[in-house]
């Protein structure tokens, strides 16, 4: 019988793996933040080329530029998965590992991130529609209720989708020869029966993020790498503890 590690065990492993390596992971965090900030600044600069009086064209451009930033972050997410998988395997890591996704299969990372964005937009669409109807309709009380229902349903659906696709960037590092479709299918398959476990692990970090808020965000320098290492350990545990996992991957 294959036993999966508990949340406490995964966290204990993460603490041990991070010991003496916080310099590299904090450096990677800062590089990610700087890269994201620069991409936002560049996109904001491009947006100023269109005057606000351009109307729909201006807002369409802003929307498209924001999507570009999100796609760029997907490549960084691939590098992050690479870094933390190395960490979980007790391999040397460096801050520059965060850019690994630009060197190896950046197209697949873009495709995977595109799917995540599209699914998020689909989950959020009913909420946006009801919000528009609430603002423009005379039947405000009805649409306010529908907006609340759509919001709750959308967030629940978004969480489920995120849990199903949560392993795609880790799988990309282990199975780079897989197509984007195969990576998505594999993530959904290996997460069967484990979505609740991952949700519990994720929620268990909320008190730590509250403490980070009290520390004016400085605590994130410790909490974020800690959580990412736990998530990488979750993936490793998921793969290594699966009954017949080699055959499962071949399927």
């Amino acid at each position: 019988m294959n036993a999966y590690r508990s949340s406490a065990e995964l966290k204990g492993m993460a603490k041990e793996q991070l010991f003496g390596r916080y310099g590299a992971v904090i450096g990677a965090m800062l590089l990610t933040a700087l890269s994201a900030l620069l991409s936002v600044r560049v996109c904001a600069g491009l947006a100023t080329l269109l005057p606000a009086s351009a109307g729909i064209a201006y807002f369409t451009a802003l929307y498209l530029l924001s999507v570009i930033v999100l796609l760029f972050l997907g490549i960084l997410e691939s590098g992050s998965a690479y870094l933390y998988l190395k960490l979980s395997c007790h391999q040397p890591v460096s801050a520059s590992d965060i850019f690994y996704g630009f060197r190896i299969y950046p197209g697949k990372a873009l495709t995977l991130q595109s799917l995540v964005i599209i699914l998020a937009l689909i989950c959020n669409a009913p909420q946006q529609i009801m919000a528009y109807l609430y603002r423009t309709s005379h039947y405000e009380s009805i649409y306010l209720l529908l907006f609340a229902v759509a919001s709750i349903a959308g967030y629940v659906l978004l969480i489920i989708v995120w849990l199903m696709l949560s392993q795609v960037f880790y799988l990309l590092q282990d199975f780079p020869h897989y197509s984007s479709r195969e990576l998505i299918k594999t993530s959904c398959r290996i997460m069967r029966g484990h979505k609740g476990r991952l949700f519990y692990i994720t929620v268990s970090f909320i008190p730590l993020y509250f403490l980070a808020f009290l520390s004016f965000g400085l605590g994130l320098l410790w909490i974020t790498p800690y959580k990412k290492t736990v998530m990488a350990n979750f993936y490793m545990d998921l793969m290594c503890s699966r009954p017949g996992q080699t055959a499962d991957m071949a399927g």
Side-chain angles (χ1 to χ4, degrees), residues 83-247:
L83 186 156
Y84 285 99
L85 282 179
K86 287 178 64 179
L87 189 65
S88 68
C89 294
H90 300 279
Q91 297 180 12
V93 297
S94 67
S96 61
D97 286 335
I98 201 70
F99 299 118
Y100 180 79
F102 289 95
R103 302 195 300 270
I104 304 296
Y105 299 103
K108 287 184 181 178
L110 285 173
T111 301
L112 294 172
Q113 183 73 348
S114 298
L115 176 69
V116 172
I117 293 172
I118 291 170
L119 290 176
L121 290 174
I122 292 174
C123 293
N124 194 45
Q127 177 187 5
Q128 296 301 318
I129 292 172
M130 293 304 161
Y132 172 78
L133 292 174
Y134 170 69
R135 290 193 300 267
T136 59
S137 174
H138 296 295
Y139 303 99
E140 295 183 356
S141 58
I142 295 177
Y143 287 115
L144 180 60
L145 176 61
L146 292 175
F147 170 75
V149 172
S151 297
I152 294 172
Y155 288 132
V156 170
L157 184 59
L158 189 60
I159 290 172
I160 294 173
V161 169
W162 172 76
L163 291 169
M164 291 172 62
L165 302 183
S166 59
Q167 308 305 304
V168 290
F169 287 109
Y170 299 116
L171 288 165
L172 176 59
Q173 313 311 314
D174 274 346
F175 305 96
H177 58 285
Y178 277 21
S179 67
S180 299
R181 181 179 179 183
E182 288 173 322
L183 292 170
I184 292 165
K185 289 175 63 177
T186 302
S187 179
C188 293
R189 182 166 65 248
I190 65 176
M191 282 302 294
R192 290 173 187 164
H194 296 279
K195 290 186 283 292
R197 190 161 71 100
L198 181 57
F199 180 74
Y200 170 78
I201 293 172
T202 303
V203 170
S204 70
F205 281 92
I206 291 178
L208 293 179
Y209 279 107
F210 177 72
L211 292 177
F213 173 76
L214 294 179
S215 68
F216 301 99
L218 292 177
L220 292 175
L221 294 176
W222 172 72
I223 296 170
T224 301
Y226 178 35
K227 180 183 177 183
K228 285 181 174 289
T229 307
V230 171
M231 293 304 170
N233 281 317
F234 174 86
Y235 167 77
M236 294 296 295
D237 180 55
L238 194 62
M239 298 299 288
C240 295
S241 300
R242 290 182 64 77
Q245 61 93 14
T246 303

